[in-house]
Amino acid sequence: MTNTDTCDVEGTVKQIIQLAEANCEIARVTVPHMNAAKALKPIRDLLTHNKIDIPLVADIHFLPKVAMLSLEHVEKVRINPGNFADNKKFKINEYTDAQYSEELERINETFSPFILKAKELGRSIRIGTNHGSLSDRIMNRYGDTPLGMCESALEFIRIAESHNFHEIILSMKASNPKVMIEAYRMVVSRMNEENMNYPLHLGVTEAGDGEDARIKSAVGIGSLLLDGLGDTIRVSLTEDPVKEIPVAISIAKIISDLATKSSHKPIEQENIPCELNYTPRSTNELSINSQLAIGNENPPRVLLPIPLSTNIEEAITLVQRIQVKYTDSPLEGVLLNLENIEDFQKAKALVEALKNNISFFAFNFSSKFTAEEITKLDLPDAPLILNPSIELSPTEIEAISNFTAKTSNYLSIDLSFTSFECIENLLSSPTAKEHWLFTLSTNLSDFHSVGSYRHVVELLDQHKIQQPLWIRNTHANNLAKHNDFSFTLLDNSILSGALLTEGFGNIISIETVEDTEQALILAYNILQGSRTRVYKTEFVACPSCGRTLFDLESTTAKIKAKTDHLKGVTIAIMGCIVNGPGEMADADFGYVGGAPNKINLYKGKECVRFNIPENEAVNTLIELIKENGQWIEA
């Protein structure tokens, strides 16, 4: 989407050409008023003159007349059912059924002429629902929920279908990937019930900038694409719009690569959960020590690979430096890959040196270690998870299980190597089960990696085994094989985020990133992006468009620089009023463009400071946070 003033024809065309050259396939421009709608024809003419043949989408809020004119010059018009012919004044009105029907009839009268004109001209319509801009009528009946998002869109589809108009695509965007995923799955379920079959435009709106925005987009968009849902995608970044395109292409490529690999198979469409359970999967608790436990109601734990290829002193120094540097994203567990007995001796020495500082260690034994050899090892005196990377027989599982139970350690059963049937004979042993957790270091042959983990959870639930699950992001588990970090970031985010948003996963390890510190931060950012473990300030920032009333990119950077240490605080930075207060549903504080060079500040959804000069607004925001007792010094 462009972020130029649409009335600036040359500037807008220049940006559209840049997007097209970056392999953008559809360009959207904001049309906030009649003058912007009138600019669409010269924009189209200039693009044609430059031999740029790209479909244009006009983005409309509030103004049906502007939408009507826009139809004459673009291939598609996006309307927001929350404000196209409806009210959003954040009022709680009690609607009787009769009043609700009257409102629907009023919407019908406003929307029908628009549909008839689109039908006459052969145009497409995107019914773009936003979590942040549901109408007061929908909010009253359904609340600020995915169900409300779905019904808001379906009401408009029913009107369109009454005129035999079907050139429709839907979007169900939210800044929270969990809400977005649930809304899309739910609207597909609802459409199936009503014999509707419309394509979907996917996006996590107000994702922000940098690594966090890319992770949230990968979690939301990637999770749905893996389910076979989604026909167009848009990555929303508070950056130059051209930077959105490579990220979107990479996400699409990661998913499309699966179609060429016979070893991957997405789960069947009918098995996709249409509603998400925000409550994590119920598991037993592994009490590691008095300070840390895994499973149950505890947050997912981060397990960081430490290379044993360097000398032991360098490994110890690396861990100690990370512990001092990253206090808000603590190194809770260390993963040690053991190729031979020499590695075991190194690992043992490392554990002895660090056991007073690290909560637990995981020993990943290569296939060179037999089950019998593992049970004869002289283990260090520290909480351990033993993970044999070998195929285990029931007898071997029982032997290692008894060994770990005797030493008060835990056995990780890697179902990449051991069939689930092998452990069924041992399920009657409660002592053994209490010391188990499950993982996959590579995908099962019939599924892609996310499907493999889902299949494991299904098997565990069928057998009433409530043991924790360890999500391993390994090279063998990668959804797509690429060495570039931008791909790796997205790849890990899709695999882990898809599972975490469904409530699966008690341990996460990033094993595909060579830089140890980078792997630690990526793990925590994925947990934050999937809303499963908050360790820093959460920012909701819109991507900017022609409606934006201040420089979003530089302002977001200023606010982040001064507030990114406020753990658990959510700050929304919104260019204008269109989605601002609504998308701040989850935010503690909001910074919203109210007029040119003027900022309104919000506490929740309530505007508490009006028309603050832009050069004073960031400091005033900090004062507001302090007044509400949520400020701490960096």
Side-chain angles (χ1 to χ4, degrees):
M1 183 173 182
T2 61
N3 62 5
T4 56
D5 180 349
T6 306
C7 292
D8 176 8
V9 173
E10 290 189 359
T12 301
V13 168
K14 180 181 177 181
Q15 192 170 79
I16 293 172
I17 292 173
Q18 292 172 341
L19 291 168
E21 290 174 345
N23 294 319
C24 172
E25 296 173 300
I26 303 172
R28 180 158 57 111
V29 297
T30 185
V31 188
H33 44 65
M34 194 61 77
N35 284 338
K38 292 176 181 177
L40 292 175
K41 185 180 187 304
I43 288 172
R44 167 60 73 203
D45 291 342
L46 190 53
L47 285 171
T48 301
H49 175 75
N50 284 279
K51 298 181 180 179
I52 301 297
D53 184 18
I54 186 171
L56 293 183
V57 183
D59 189 65
I60 307 294
H61 292 273
F62 302 113
L63 302 172
K65 289 183 179 180
V66 172
M68 292 285 279
L69 178 58
S70 299
L71 281 172
E72 298 177 11
H73 307 297
V74 297
E75 284 76 11
K76 183 194 297 181
V77 173
R78 178 269 173 131
I79 60 100
N80 183 341
N83 57 38
F84 180 83
D86 224 331
N87 294 317
K88 182 64 176 175
K89 298 180 180 179
F90 298 98
K91 293 182 178 179
I92 304 299
N93 299 316
E94 294 297 329
Y95 287 86
T96 65
D97 289 346
Q99 290 172 325
Y100 198 94
S101 296
E102 288 174 6
E103 287 293 297
L104 284 179
E105 183 57 36
R106 183 182 60 78
I107 291 170
N108 192 342
E109 291 175 1
T110 304
F111 189 49
S112 288
F114 174 72
I115 287 296
L116 292 172
K117 185 171 183 178
K119 185 176 180 180
E120 176 190 348
L121 295 174
R123 306 303 194 220
S124 301
I125 304 298
R126 170 150 74 91
I127 298 177
T129 305
N130 267 57
H131 181 233
S133 54
L134 298 178
S135 69
D136 291 338
R137 177 180 52 80
I138 288 289
M139 291 279 284
N140 169 261
R141 176 70 52 105
Y142 300 99
D144 191 13
T145 64
L147 178 59
M149 295 171 68
C150 294
E151 189 58 32
S152 180
L154 292 173
E155 288 178 349
F156 276 66
I157 291 177
R158 295 181 192 116
I159 294 172
E161 288 190 337
S162 72
H163 299 289
N164 197 29
F165 181 83
H166 302 281
E167 298 299 317
I168 297 168
I169 186 168
L170 298 181
S171 61
M172 296 275 131
K173 293 188 179 182
S175 58
N176 182 335
K178 280 186 173 180
V179 174
M180 171 259 196
I181 292 169
E182 182 179 3
Y184 277 104
R185 286 175 173 164
M186 187 182 292
V187 81
V188 169
S189 177
R190 295 290 305 280
M191 283 198 294
N192 287 341
E193 292 172 1
E194 300 192 34
N195 295 316
M196 297 175 179
N197 189 22
Y198 294 103
L200 302 173
H201 170 71
L202 305 183
V204 177
T205 191
E206 277 85 38
D209 64 356
E211 189 172 303
D212 291 339
R214 287 157 174 81
I215 288 171
K216 284 190 277 190
S217 296
V219 171
I221 297 171
S223 298
L224 292 165
L225 289 177
L226 280 174
D227 293 341
L229 306 180
D231 301 276
T232 63
I233 62 175
R234 189 263 173 119
V235 173
S236 299
L237 301 180
T238 311
E239 302 175 24
D240 185 329
V242 174
K243 293 183 179 180
E244 299 177 350
I245 309 307
V247 183
I249 290 173
S250 296
I251 292 173
K253 181 170 177 53
I254 289 170
I255 305 303
S256 64
D257 279 357
L258 299 179
T260 66
K261 298 175 182 178
S262 59
S263 60
H264 294 82
K265 183 181 115 181
I267 65 171
E268 295 299 324
Q269 179 94 9
E270 56 266 25
N271 293 331
I272 298 170
C274 67
E275 297 184 35
L276 285 179
N277 183 357
Y278 288 174
T279 304
R281 170 177 166 261
S282 178
T283 70
N284 295 328
E285 184 173 275
L286 307 184
S287 297
I288 301 298
N289 54 40
S290 58
Q291 283 79 41
L292 185 138
I294 296 170
N296 197 10
E297 296 181 358
N298 297 288
R301 302 301 184 182
V302 173
L303 191 55
L304 185 67
I306 299 295
L308 291 171
S309 56
T310 55
N311 66 55
I312 195 69
E313 289 77 17
E314 289 180 356
I316 292 170
T317 300
L318 172 64
V319 171
Q320 291 174 336
R321 184 177 73 246
I322 289 173
Q323 286 182 305
V324 172
K325 186 175 180 180
Y326 299 103
T327 54
D328 289 330
S329 50
L331 174 49
E332 297 169 318
V334 166
L335 171 61
L336 301 168
N337 292 306
L338 313 179
E339 286 294 322
N340 49 48
I341 197 66
E342 291 179 358
D343 283 347
F344 173 74
Q345 296 301 337
K346 285 184 181 180
K348 188 175 178 182
L350 188 67
V351 172
E352 291 295 341
L354 297 172
K355 65 182 182 181
N356 293 328
N357 305 99
I358 299 297
S359 295
F360 69 104
F361 301 83
F363 283 8
N364 184 47
F365 295 98
S366 76
S367 58
K368 297 176 183 178
F369 286 87
T370 66
E372 184 178 4
E373 287 173 334
I374 293 172
T375 59
K376 292 180 179 179
L377 291 172
D378 180 20
L379 298 177
D381 181 21
L384 302 176
I385 295 173
L386 306 185
N387 184 65
S389 299
I390 53 176
E391 186 173 348
L392 296 171
S393 68
T395 303
E396 289 171 325
I397 293 175
E398 185 172 24
I400 299 181
S401 185
N402 290 335
F403 175 62
T404 54
K406 183 174 65 176
T407 56
S408 298
N409 291 312
Y410 301 94
L411 172 62
S412 171
I413 300 177
D414 192 331
L415 289 174
S416 306
F417 307 103
T418 303
S419 67
F420 199 89
E421 290 74 11
C422 281
I423 68 169
E424 288 184 320
N425 294 334
L426 301 172
L427 296 181
S428 61
S429 171
T431 303
K433 282 197 297 183
E434 289 175 1
H435 283 254
W436 291 354
L437 66 153
F438 290 84
T439 192
L440 288 162
S441 57
T442 186
N443 57 291
L444 303 178
S445 60
D446 290 337
F447 302 96
H448 58 60
S449 302
V450 174
S452 295
Y453 272 100
R454 283 170 170 163
H455 184 58
V456 168
V457 171
E458 183 181 23
L459 291 173
L460 295 177
D461 290 346
Q462 285 175 0
H463 289 84
K464 296 182 171 54
I465 301 176
Q466 294 183 297
Q467 292 308 106
L469 188 69
W470 170 12
I471 301 173
R472 294 187 64 186
N473 293 269
T474 65
H475 288 291
N477 245 347
N478 273 13
L479 296 169
K481 310 301 179 188
H482 302 281
N483 295 321
D484 182 78
F485 178 70
S486 62
F487 260 96
T488 301
L489 179 147
L490 299 172
D491 212 336
N492 286 272
S493 299
I494 294 170
L495 170 58
S496 296
L499 296 168
L500 290 165
T501 52
E502 292 184 38
F504 306 152
N506 308 97
I507 302 175
I508 177 177
S509 59
I510 306 295
E511 303 170 45
T512 56
V513 178
E514 291 186 6
D515 186 305
T516 306
E517 294 184 35
Q518 196 175 43
L520 177 73
I521 295 304
L522 178 55
Y524 272 98
N525 283 343
I526 290 173
L527 293 174
Q528 175 107 5
S530 58
R531 302 291 181 100
T532 49
R533 183 172 180 178
V534 175
Y535 82 99
K536 61 181 181 179
T537 316
E538 178 70 21
F539 292 97
V540 176
C542 75
S544 184
C545 69
R547 297 185 301 265
T548 302
L549 295 167
F550 57 88
D551 187 323
L552 258 167
E553 195 169 349
S554 62
T555 301
T556 299
K558 289 177 187 176
I559 294 174
K560 278 191 168 184
K562 294 190 176 185
T563 63
D564 65 357
H565 62 288
L566 301 177
K567 180 179 179 180
V569 175
T570 300
I571 299 174
I573 308 163
M574 313 301 289
C576 70
I577 203 69
V578 169
N579 291 327
E583 283 301 346
M584 292 189 295
D586 296 335
D588 300 293
F589 302 96
Y591 182 107
V592 180
N597 303 314
K598 298 291 183 180
I599 304 299
N600 296 337
L601 297 181
Y602 285 72
K603 174 71 174 73
K605 290 185 178 181
E606 180 184 359
C607 189
V608 294
R609 302 280 195 281
F610 293 89
N611 292 326
I612 300 168
E614 187 180 342
N615 60 355
E616 301 174 10
V618 175
N619 288 333
T620 307
L621 172 65
I622 292 171
E623 292 173 8
L624 180 62
I625 297 171
K626 290 179 178 179
E627 289 173 12
N628 285 272
Q630 291 179 264
W631 179 265
I632 59 171
E633 295 301 326

